[in-house]
Amino acid sequence: MADLRIEGEREPLLGDTPGNREWDILETEEHYKSRWRSIRILYLTMFLSSVGFSIVILSIWPYLQKIDQTADTRFLGWVIASYSLGQMVASPIFGLWSNYRPRKEPLVVSIFISVAANCLYAYVHIPASHNKYYMLVARGLLGIGAASTDEIEVPQGNIDQVAVVAINVLFFVALFIFAVFETIIAPLTMDMYAWTQEQAVLYNGIILAALGVEAVVIFVGVKLLSKKIGERAILLGGLIVVWVGFFILLPWGNQFPKIQWEDLHNNSIPNTTFGEIIIGLWKSPMEDDNERPTGCSIEQAWCLYTPVIHLAQFLTSVVLIGVGYPVCNLMSYTLYSKVLGPKPQGVYMGWLTASGSGARILGPMFISQVYAHWGPRWAFSLMCGIVVLTITLLGVVYRRLIALSVRYGRIQE
């Protein structure tokens, strides 16, 4: 019996491939209920995981500033990118592991890694020095714990490879946009509007919660709209909306942000006793009587000559990007699935996952470096350029982004 259970665990999850023991039999009522129970559990797991991710991503920048005053926005990009880097490296390892061993093994190991990484993240303020590097390691371990264990299957032929590559690029840009937005929102609002760390976490949390509600409405609307005008037109419209959102973010006018005039930080490391370390375990890193100065840091030279991004600009841009991003993300998935057809898609979906992970690695690194050196004008101008190139690519391959069944129907005609 144990061997049968292990053998069952190693079978593809969908159970619809030739040679499967259930290939030639109908699904029983008990199996149907069990399958949907598992699906609902996965829904709940993904929901809780997304909630936790949203909470952490908003607090990374204030938390990083609290635990290590030597950290800047450039290092923030590395911290955020380390999550996706860990996920991208570990995903094929866990996938290979699950091919030769029961799926429970890599799942249990990934859960333990996630728990350990979260514990490390919670106490990175304890060491006397190098705290930012402990956070970097913690985020990387969290990415490893979040690595997927998708099965690797044999790729099918007769697929338009140009369309496949194009959609991977489109999906990369969609995730790149999201990575840029989630990385820059905290430092941007703190620089432009002199928000404190607590205000940045609270107000940006409210903004992202509103965007979540907006995304639900968008998903419902897109489902109805796609039946009338098709997925390709909706994807094009989503990219145009995103471009308008970044264009609106460009600074203009004669008003400048509040400058944060502060002395250079003293980087000397104080001696810490064992008793102080124990006390520190119970003390929140956010408990600080001396509030940090607010405004745009004088260490960023562009603060002196770059106009402020007005709050109305920012909120309008957020709404537009909140419309465009979910549209681009959903339509990329939909078109990709249709281009591949009804056959097993394991390898191709693995490429899509790797594309998204790469975007979430490069996005934070790109925006944090450009923003720190040249400011929001250059950062968002370059984003507008990237979106324009993506729209051009979509126009070039527009006629090739069709379902596999439609493609074969045209060949037969």
Side-chain angles (χ1 to χ4, degrees), residues 38-80:
S38 301
I39 291 173
R40 293 187 181 98
I41 291 174
L42 288 174
Y43 285 161
L44 177 61
T45 302
M46 289 301 298
F47 173 78
L48 295 176
S49 176
S50 298
V51 169
F53 180 83
S54 300
I55 292 173
V56 171
I57 200 67
L58 282 175
S59 61
I60 285 180
W61 178 231
Y63 190 31
L64 182 61
Q65 289 181 305
K66 279 286 184 180
I67 64 171
D68 197 326
Q69 295 184 351
T70 65
D72 56 13
T73 53
R74 288 168 292 186
F75 193 83
L76 172 67
W78 287 101
V79 170
I80 295 178

mmCIF file of all heavy atoms in Angstrom, residues 38-80:
data_model
loop_
_atom_site.group_PDB
_atom_site.id
_atom_site.type_symbol
_atom_site.label_atom_id
_atom_site.label_comp_id
_atom_site.label_asym_id
_atom_site.label_seq_id
_atom_site.Cartn_x
_atom_site.Cartn_y
_atom_site.Cartn_z
ATOM 1 N N SER A 38 -9.027 19.802 -2.273
ATOM 2 C CA SER A 38 -7.610 20.148 -2.419
ATOM 3 C C SER A 38 -7.437 21.486 -3.129
ATOM 4 O O SER A 38 -6.580 22.298 -2.759
ATOM 5 C CB SER A 38 -6.878 19.045 -3.194
ATOM 6 O OG SER A 38 -6.975 17.806 -2.536
ATOM 7 N N ILE A 39 -8.252 21.723 -4.139
ATOM 8 C CA ILE A 39 -8.162 22.982 -4.875
ATOM 9 C C ILE A 39 -8.491 24.159 -3.967
ATOM 10 O O ILE A 39 -7.819 25.197 -3.986
ATOM 11 C CB ILE A 39 -9.102 22.957 -6.096
ATOM 12 C CG1 ILE A 39 -8.580 21.959 -7.141
ATOM 13 C CG2 ILE A 39 -9.239 24.350 -6.716
ATOM 14 C CD1 ILE A 39 -9.510 21.743 -8.306
ATOM 15 N N ARG A 40 -9.523 24.007 -3.131
ATOM 16 C CA ARG A 40 -9.896 25.098 -2.218
ATOM 17 C C ARG A 40 -8.804 25.351 -1.187
ATOM 18 O O ARG A 40 -8.571 26.496 -0.788
ATOM 19 C CB ARG A 40 -11.224 24.779 -1.547
ATOM 20 C CG ARG A 40 -12.416 24.779 -2.510
ATOM 21 C CD ARG A 40 -13.747 24.637 -1.794
ATOM 22 N NE ARG A 40 -14.848 24.625 -2.731
ATOM 23 C CZ ARG A 40 -15.442 23.516 -3.188
ATOM 24 N NH1 ARG A 40 -15.014 22.320 -2.785
ATOM 25 N NH2 ARG A 40 -16.435 23.591 -4.048
ATOM 26 N N ILE A 41 -8.167 24.284 -0.735
ATOM 27 C CA ILE A 41 -7.050 24.450 0.198
ATOM 28 C C ILE A 41 -5.911 25.224 -0.469
ATOM 29 O O ILE A 41 -5.282 26.099 0.136
ATOM 30 C CB ILE A 41 -6.557 23.079 0.708
ATOM 31 C CG1 ILE A 41 -7.613 22.440 1.608
ATOM 32 C CG2 ILE A 41 -5.241 23.225 1.477
ATOM 33 C CD1 ILE A 41 -7.276 21.025 2.028
ATOM 34 N N LEU A 42 -5.662 24.915 -1.759
ATOM 35 C CA LEU A 42 -4.633 25.642 -2.495
ATOM 36 C C LEU A 42 -5.015 27.111 -2.662
ATOM 37 O O LEU A 42 -4.164 27.997 -2.558
ATOM 38 C CB LEU A 42 -4.424 24.997 -3.874
ATOM 39 C CG LEU A 42 -3.710 23.647 -3.876
ATOM 40 C CD1 LEU A 42 -3.695 23.065 -5.283
ATOM 41 C CD2 LEU A 42 -2.295 23.781 -3.355
ATOM 42 N N TYR A 43 -6.292 27.377 -2.923
ATOM 43 C CA TYR A 43 -6.753 28.771 -3.008
ATOM 44 C C TYR A 43 -6.463 29.509 -1.711
ATOM 45 O O TYR A 43 -5.951 30.646 -1.715
ATOM 46 C CB TYR A 43 -8.261 28.810 -3.287
ATOM 47 C CG TYR A 43 -8.661 28.486 -4.700
ATOM 48 C CD1 TYR A 43 -9.967 28.104 -5.006
ATOM 49 C CD2 TYR A 43 -7.746 28.561 -5.743
ATOM 50 C CE1 TYR A 43 -10.353 27.808 -6.308
ATOM 51 C CE2 TYR A 43 -8.116 28.261 -7.043
ATOM 52 C CZ TYR A 43 -9.424 27.881 -7.327
ATOM 53 O OH TYR A 43 -9.784 27.588 -8.604
ATOM 54 N N LEU A 44 -6.819 28.876 -0.579
ATOM 55 C CA LEU A 44 -6.606 29.510 0.724
ATOM 56 C C LEU A 44 -5.118 29.722 0.978
ATOM 57 O O LEU A 44 -4.708 30.782 1.481
ATOM 58 C CB LEU A 44 -7.218 28.654 1.828
ATOM 59 C CG LEU A 44 -7.023 29.159 3.268
ATOM 60 C CD1 LEU A 44 -7.666 30.527 3.437
ATOM 61 C CD2 LEU A 44 -7.589 28.158 4.270
ATOM 62 N N THR A 45 -4.300 28.729 0.616
ATOM 63 C CA THR A 45 -2.857 28.836 0.816
ATOM 64 C C THR A 45 -2.273 29.991 0.008
ATOM 65 O O THR A 45 -1.476 30.789 0.516
ATOM 66 C CB THR A 45 -2.156 27.520 0.418
ATOM 67 O OG1 THR A 45 -2.698 26.443 1.192
ATOM 68 C CG2 THR A 45 -0.657 27.608 0.659
ATOM 69 N N MET A 46 -2.681 30.101 -1.252
ATOM 70 C CA MET A 46 -2.188 31.181 -2.097
ATOM 71 C C MET A 46 -2.659 32.540 -1.577
ATOM 72 O O MET A 46 -1.914 33.526 -1.620
ATOM 73 C CB MET A 46 -2.658 30.980 -3.538
ATOM 74 C CG MET A 46 -1.981 29.824 -4.252
ATOM 75 S SD MET A 46 -0.190 30.036 -4.318
ATOM 76 C CE MET A 46 -0.071 31.543 -5.267
ATOM 77 N N PHE A 47 -3.908 32.585 -1.079
ATOM 78 C CA PHE A 47 -4.424 33.844 -0.540
ATOM 79 C C PHE A 47 -3.607 34.293 0.671
ATOM 80 O O PHE A 47 -3.170 35.439 0.753
ATOM 81 C CB PHE A 47 -5.888 33.674 -0.154
ATOM 82 C CG PHE A 47 -6.471 34.872 0.558
ATOM 83 C CD1 PHE A 47 -6.843 35.998 -0.150
ATOM 84 C CD2 PHE A 47 -6.625 34.862 1.935
ATOM 85 C CE1 PHE A 47 -7.374 37.104 0.499
ATOM 86 C CE2 PHE A 47 -7.149 35.961 2.599
ATOM 87 C CZ PHE A 47 -7.530 37.081 1.879
ATOM 88 N N LEU A 48 -3.381 33.376 1.611
ATOM 89 C CA LEU A 48 -2.612 33.723 2.806
ATOM 90 C C LEU A 48 -1.173 34.079 2.457
ATOM 91 O O LEU A 48 -0.583 34.996 3.035
ATOM 92 C CB LEU A 48 -2.647 32.550 3.797
ATOM 93 C CG LEU A 48 -4.025 32.215 4.388
ATOM 94 C CD1 LEU A 48 -3.935 30.976 5.272
ATOM 95 C CD2 LEU A 48 -4.587 33.398 5.171
ATOM 96 N N SER A 49 -0.601 33.348 1.489
ATOM 97 C CA SER A 49 0.760 33.651 1.060
ATOM 98 C C SER A 49 0.853 35.044 0.450
ATOM 99 O O SER A 49 1.793 35.797 0.726
ATOM 100 C CB SER A 49 1.235 32.602 0.046
ATOM 101 O OG SER A 49 2.502 32.915 -0.458
ATOM 102 N N SER A 50 -0.143 35.413 -0.353
ATOM 103 C CA SER A 50 -0.150 36.733 -0.979
ATOM 104 C C SER A 50 -0.333 37.840 0.058
ATOM 105 O O SER A 50 0.275 38.907 -0.049
ATOM 106 C CB SER A 50 -1.264 36.812 -2.028
ATOM 107 O OG SER A 50 -1.047 35.863 -3.054
ATOM 108 N N VAL A 51 -1.185 37.580 1.064
ATOM 109 C CA VAL A 51 -1.376 38.569 2.129
ATOM 110 C C VAL A 51 -0.058 38.800 2.869
ATOM 111 O O VAL A 51 0.364 39.937 3.110
ATOM 112 C CB VAL A 51 -2.469 38.109 3.109
ATOM 113 C CG1 VAL A 51 -2.481 38.991 4.355
ATOM 114 C CG2 VAL A 51 -3.833 38.153 2.438
ATOM 115 N N GLY A 52 0.608 37.703 3.228
ATOM 116 C CA GLY A 52 1.892 37.826 3.923
ATOM 117 C C GLY A 52 2.933 38.540 3.087
ATOM 118 O O GLY A 52 3.686 39.386 3.589
ATOM 119 N N PHE A 53 2.969 38.228 1.788
ATOM 120 C CA PHE A 53 3.930 38.873 0.902
ATOM 121 C C PHE A 53 3.680 40.369 0.827
ATOM 122 O O PHE A 53 4.609 41.183 0.853
ATOM 123 C CB PHE A 53 3.843 38.248 -0.493
ATOM 124 C CG PHE A 53 4.799 38.831 -1.492
ATOM 125 C CD1 PHE A 53 6.104 38.388 -1.557
ATOM 126 C CD2 PHE A 53 4.390 39.831 -2.362
ATOM 127 C CE1 PHE A 53 6.993 38.923 -2.479
ATOM 128 C CE2 PHE A 53 5.266 40.378 -3.278
ATOM 129 C CZ PHE A 53 6.569 39.917 -3.337
ATOM 130 N N SER A 54 2.390 40.770 0.738
ATOM 131 C CA SER A 54 2.056 42.186 0.642
ATOM 132 C C SER A 54 2.444 42.932 1.908
ATOM 133 O O SER A 54 2.924 44.070 1.854
ATOM 134 C CB SER A 54 0.547 42.355 0.384
ATOM 135 O OG SER A 54 0.170 41.733 -0.824
ATOM 136 N N ILE A 55 2.233 42.303 3.061
ATOM 137 C CA ILE A 55 2.586 42.946 4.327
ATOM 138 C C ILE A 55 4.087 43.174 4.411
ATOM 139 O O ILE A 55 4.552 44.261 4.780
ATOM 140 C CB ILE A 55 2.106 42.084 5.514
ATOM 141 C CG1 ILE A 55 0.570 42.072 5.568
ATOM 142 C CG2 ILE A 55 2.662 42.617 6.830
ATOM 143 C CD1 ILE A 55 0.012 41.120 6.598
ATOM 144 N N VAL A 56 4.855 42.158 4.038
ATOM 145 C CA VAL A 56 6.309 42.249 4.156
ATOM 146 C C VAL A 56 6.891 43.234 3.163
ATOM 147 O O VAL A 56 7.759 44.051 3.499
ATOM 148 C CB VAL A 56 6.946 40.853 3.970
ATOM 149 C CG1 VAL A 56 8.461 40.965 3.872
ATOM 150 C CG2 VAL A 56 6.571 39.939 5.126
ATOM 151 N N ILE A 57 6.408 43.219 1.915
ATOM 152 C CA ILE A 57 7.017 44.041 0.866
ATOM 153 C C ILE A 57 6.879 45.529 1.180
ATOM 154 O O ILE A 57 7.743 46.336 0.823
ATOM 155 C CB ILE A 57 6.389 43.709 -0.513
ATOM 156 C CG1 ILE A 57 7.317 44.156 -1.643
ATOM 157 C CG2 ILE A 57 5.018 44.341 -0.669
ATOM 158 C CD1 ILE A 57 8.593 43.397 -1.728
ATOM 159 N N LEU A 58 5.799 45.907 1.868
ATOM 160 C CA LEU A 58 5.609 47.315 2.202
ATOM 161 C C LEU A 58 6.541 47.779 3.311
ATOM 162 O O LEU A 58 6.911 48.943 3.377
ATOM 163 C CB LEU A 58 4.158 47.556 2.634
ATOM 164 C CG LEU A 58 3.126 47.653 1.513
ATOM 165 C CD1 LEU A 58 1.734 47.765 2.105
ATOM 166 C CD2 LEU A 58 3.412 48.847 0.623
ATOM 167 N N SER A 59 6.909 46.856 4.200
ATOM 168 C CA SER A 59 7.698 47.247 5.370
ATOM 169 C C SER A 59 9.194 47.040 5.186
ATOM 170 O O SER A 59 9.974 47.374 6.080
ATOM 171 C CB SER A 59 7.228 46.445 6.593
ATOM 172 O OG SER A 59 7.419 45.055 6.392
ATOM 173 N N ILE A 60 9.613 46.496 4.042
ATOM 174 C CA ILE A 60 11.030 46.185 3.863
ATOM 175 C C ILE A 60 11.896 47.442 3.961
ATOM 176 O O ILE A 60 12.910 47.461 4.676
ATOM 177 C CB ILE A 60 11.254 45.479 2.507
ATOM 178 C CG1 ILE A 60 10.783 44.032 2.582
ATOM 179 C CG2 ILE A 60 12.740 45.503 2.127
ATOM 180 C CD1 ILE A 60 10.967 43.264 1.298
ATOM 181 N N TRP A 61 11.511 48.509 3.249
ATOM 182 C CA TRP A 61 12.354 49.698 3.225
ATOM 183 C C TRP A 61 12.439 50.374 4.597
ATOM 184 O O TRP A 61 13.551 50.649 5.073
ATOM 185 C CB TRP A 61 11.851 50.662 2.163
ATOM 186 C CG TRP A 61 12.603 51.955 2.061
ATOM 187 C CD1 TRP A 61 12.064 53.196 2.059
ATOM 188 C CD2 TRP A 61 14.022 52.151 1.942
ATOM 189 N NE1 TRP A 61 13.036 54.158 1.945
ATOM 190 C CE2 TRP A 61 14.256 53.539 1.869
ATOM 191 C CE3 TRP A 61 15.118 51.289 1.891
ATOM 192 C CZ2 TRP A 61 15.524 54.092 1.761
ATOM 193 C CZ3 TRP A 61 16.391 51.835 1.781
ATOM 194 C CH2 TRP A 61 16.588 53.212 1.714
ATOM 195 N N PRO A 62 11.316 50.634 5.288
ATOM 196 C CA PRO A 62 11.439 51.196 6.643
ATOM 197 C C PRO A 62 12.201 50.280 7.596
ATOM 198 O O PRO A 62 13.001 50.754 8.415
ATOM 199 C CB PRO A 62 9.978 51.371 7.086
ATOM 200 C CG PRO A 62 9.203 51.463 5.825
ATOM 201 C CD PRO A 62 9.915 50.564 4.860
ATOM 202 N N TYR A 63 11.952 48.983 7.507
ATOM 203 C CA TYR A 63 12.634 48.020 8.376
ATOM 204 C C TYR A 63 14.136 48.013 8.101
ATOM 205 O O TYR A 63 14.964 47.990 9.022
ATOM 206 C CB TYR A 63 12.030 46.636 8.143
ATOM 207 C CG TYR A 63 12.454 45.561 9.129
ATOM 208 C CD1 TYR A 63 12.770 45.877 10.440
ATOM 209 C CD2 TYR A 63 12.511 44.224 8.736
ATOM 210 C CE1 TYR A 63 13.141 44.882 11.344
ATOM 211 C CE2 TYR A 63 12.868 43.237 9.628
ATOM 212 C CZ TYR A 63 13.183 43.568 10.934
ATOM 213 O OH TYR A 63 13.555 42.592 11.816
ATOM 214 N N LEU A 64 14.506 48.053 6.821
ATOM 215 C CA LEU A 64 15.918 48.065 6.445
ATOM 216 C C LEU A 64 16.608 49.319 6.968
ATOM 217 O O LEU A 64 17.753 49.257 7.452
ATOM 218 C CB LEU A 64 16.047 47.980 4.921
ATOM 219 C CG LEU A 64 17.463 47.932 4.336
ATOM 220 C CD1 LEU A 64 18.219 46.719 4.836
ATOM 221 C CD2 LEU A 64 17.400 47.922 2.805
ATOM 222 N N GLN A 65 15.940 50.453 6.901
ATOM 223 C CA GLN A 65 16.521 51.689 7.424
ATOM 224 C C GLN A 65 16.700 51.644 8.941
ATOM 225 O O GLN A 65 17.656 52.208 9.478
ATOM 226 C CB GLN A 65 15.623 52.879 7.051
ATOM 227 C CG GLN A 65 15.655 53.240 5.578
ATOM 228 C CD GLN A 65 14.779 54.435 5.284
ATOM 229 O OE1 GLN A 65 13.597 54.455 5.603
ATOM 230 N NE2 GLN A 65 15.357 55.455 4.682
ATOM 231 N N LYS A 66 15.793 50.977 9.625
ATOM 232 C CA LYS A 66 15.864 50.889 11.075
ATOM 233 C C LYS A 66 17.019 50.000 11.544
ATOM 234 O O LYS A 66 17.730 50.330 12.495
ATOM 235 C CB LYS A 66 14.547 50.330 11.636
ATOM 236 C CG LYS A 66 13.448 51.365 11.753
ATOM 237 C CD LYS A 66 13.712 52.307 12.916
ATOM 238 C CE LYS A 66 12.573 53.278 13.115
ATOM 239 N NZ LYS A 66 12.814 54.202 14.243
ATOM 240 N N ILE A 67 17.201 48.872 10.871
ATOM 241 C CA ILE A 67 18.186 47.908 11.364
ATOM 242 C C ILE A 67 19.604 48.245 10.926
ATOM 243 O O ILE A 67 20.570 47.824 11.567
ATOM 244 C CB ILE A 67 17.835 46.473 10.901
ATOM 245 C CG1 ILE A 67 17.919 46.362 9.379
ATOM 246 C CG2 ILE A 67 16.464 46.059 11.409
ATOM 247 C CD1 ILE A 67 17.811 44.955 8.858
ATOM 248 N N ASP A 68 19.745 48.995 9.818
ATOM 249 C CA ASP A 68 21.086 49.299 9.317
ATOM 250 C C ASP A 68 21.037 50.631 8.574
ATOM 251 O O ASP A 68 20.545 50.721 7.452
ATOM 252 C CB ASP A 68 21.581 48.188 8.384
ATOM 253 C CG ASP A 68 23.073 48.233 8.162
ATOM 254 O OD1 ASP A 68 23.632 49.349 8.143
ATOM 255 O OD2 ASP A 68 23.690 47.162 8.016
ATOM 256 N N GLN A 69 21.561 51.670 9.192
ATOM 257 C CA GLN A 69 21.491 53.001 8.603
ATOM 258 C C GLN A 69 22.447 53.189 7.428
ATOM 259 O O GLN A 69 22.411 54.222 6.761
ATOM 260 C CB GLN A 69 21.768 54.056 9.683
ATOM 261 C CG GLN A 69 20.711 54.085 10.770
ATOM 262 C CD GLN A 69 20.948 55.188 11.784
ATOM 263 O OE1 GLN A 69 21.997 55.840 11.772
ATOM 264 N NE2 GLN A 69 19.991 55.398 12.677
ATOM 265 N N THR A 70 23.300 52.212 7.168
ATOM 266 C CA THR A 70 24.189 52.296 6.009
ATOM 267 C C THR A 70 23.499 51.844 4.725
ATOM 268 O O THR A 70 24.044 52.005 3.636
ATOM 269 C CB THR A 70 25.453 51.448 6.221
ATOM 270 O OG1 THR A 70 25.092 50.062 6.295
ATOM 271 C CG2 THR A 70 26.165 51.854 7.501
ATOM 272 N N ALA A 71 22.308 51.248 4.837
ATOM 273 C CA ALA A 71 21.596 50.751 3.662
ATOM 274 C C ALA A 71 20.960 51.908 2.898
ATOM 275 O O ALA A 71 20.423 52.839 3.495
ATOM 276 C CB ALA A 71 20.530 49.750 4.084
ATOM 277 N N ASP A 72 21.027 51.860 1.571
ATOM 278 C CA ASP A 72 20.387 52.868 0.730
ATOM 279 C C ASP A 72 19.442 52.188 -0.243
ATOM 280 O O ASP A 72 19.240 50.970 -0.186
ATOM 281 C CB ASP A 72 21.440 53.694 -0.012
ATOM 282 C CG ASP A 72 22.386 52.829 -0.834
ATOM 283 O OD1 ASP A 72 22.089 51.639 -1.028
ATOM 284 O OD2 ASP A 72 23.429 53.344 -1.286
ATOM 285 N N THR A 73 18.833 52.963 -1.140
ATOM 286 C CA THR A 73 17.855 52.407 -2.068
ATOM 287 C C THR A 73 18.484 51.415 -3.044
ATOM 288 O O THR A 73 17.796 50.525 -3.550
ATOM 289 C CB THR A 73 17.167 53.526 -2.862
ATOM 290 O OG1 THR A 73 18.160 54.362 -3.476
ATOM 291 C CG2 THR A 73 16.292 54.362 -1.956
ATOM 292 N N ARG A 74 19.776 51.569 -3.306
ATOM 293 C CA ARG A 74 20.434 50.604 -4.178
ATOM 294 C C ARG A 74 20.488 49.231 -3.539
ATOM 295 O O ARG A 74 20.246 48.207 -4.192
ATOM 296 C CB ARG A 74 21.842 51.096 -4.533
ATOM 297 C CG ARG A 74 21.860 52.277 -5.500
ATOM 298 C CD ARG A 74 23.218 52.911 -5.606
ATOM 299 N NE ARG A 74 23.601 53.575 -4.350
ATOM 300 C CZ ARG A 74 24.691 54.301 -4.201
ATOM 301 N NH1 ARG A 74 25.526 54.452 -5.214
ATOM 302 N NH2 ARG A 74 24.968 54.876 -3.058
ATOM 303 N N PHE A 75 20.780 49.198 -2.251
ATOM 304 C CA PHE A 75 20.800 47.902 -1.555
ATOM 305 C C PHE A 75 19.383 47.342 -1.412
ATOM 306 O O PHE A 75 19.194 46.118 -1.406
ATOM 307 C CB PHE A 75 21.455 48.052 -0.179
ATOM 308 C CG PHE A 75 21.790 46.738 0.468
ATOM 309 C CD1 PHE A 75 22.967 46.078 0.136
ATOM 310 C CD2 PHE A 75 20.941 46.156 1.388
ATOM 311 C CE1 PHE A 75 23.283 44.854 0.715
ATOM 312 C CE2 PHE A 75 21.247 44.935 1.974
ATOM 313 C CZ PHE A 75 22.426 44.290 1.634
ATOM 314 N N LEU A 76 18.391 48.227 -1.299
ATOM 315 C CA LEU A 76 17.003 47.778 -1.249
ATOM 316 C C LEU A 76 16.662 46.934 -2.475
ATOM 317 O O LEU A 76 15.958 45.921 -2.366
ATOM 318 C CB LEU A 76 16.070 48.986 -1.163
ATOM 319 C CG LEU A 76 14.572 48.704 -1.295
ATOM 320 C CD1 LEU A 76 14.074 47.903 -0.105
ATOM 321 C CD2 LEU A 76 13.788 50.006 -1.439
ATOM 322 N N GLY A 77 17.158 47.353 -3.646
ATOM 323 C CA GLY A 77 16.909 46.577 -4.855
ATOM 324 C C GLY A 77 17.448 45.166 -4.762
ATOM 325 O O GLY A 77 16.795 44.201 -5.169
ATOM 326 N N TRP A 78 18.639 45.014 -4.179
ATOM 327 C CA TRP A 78 19.217 43.682 -4.004
ATOM 328 C C TRP A 78 18.407 42.845 -3.022
ATOM 329 O O TRP A 78 18.213 41.637 -3.226
ATOM 330 C CB TRP A 78 20.658 43.803 -3.518
ATOM 331 C CG TRP A 78 21.602 44.257 -4.571
ATOM 332 C CD1 TRP A 78 22.109 45.504 -4.743
ATOM 333 C CD2 TRP A 78 22.173 43.461 -5.633
ATOM 334 N NE1 TRP A 78 22.949 45.556 -5.837
ATOM 335 C CE2 TRP A 78 23.006 44.304 -6.401
ATOM 336 C CE3 TRP A 78 22.047 42.130 -6.000
ATOM 337 C CZ2 TRP A 78 23.703 43.851 -7.503
ATOM 338 C CZ3 TRP A 78 22.744 41.675 -7.115
ATOM 339 C CH2 TRP A 78 23.563 42.533 -7.853
ATOM 340 N N VAL A 79 17.926 43.485 -1.966
ATOM 341 C CA VAL A 79 17.137 42.750 -0.966
ATOM 342 C C VAL A 79 15.857 42.207 -1.579
ATOM 343 O O VAL A 79 15.496 41.041 -1.374
ATOM 344 C CB VAL A 79 16.824 43.665 0.243
ATOM 345 C CG1 VAL A 79 15.808 43.000 1.174
ATOM 346 C CG2 VAL A 79 18.092 43.981 1.016
ATOM 347 N N ILE A 80 15.163 43.040 -2.340
ATOM 348 C CA ILE A 80 13.911 42.591 -2.952
ATOM 349 C C ILE A 80 14.173 41.556 -4.047
ATOM 350 O O ILE A 80 13.442 40.577 -4.195
ATOM 351 C CB ILE A 80 13.139 43.796 -3.507
ATOM 352 C CG1 ILE A 80 12.709 44.710 -2.344
ATOM 353 C CG2 ILE A 80 11.922 43.355 -4.304
ATOM 354 C CD1 ILE A 80 11.975 45.951 -2.772
#
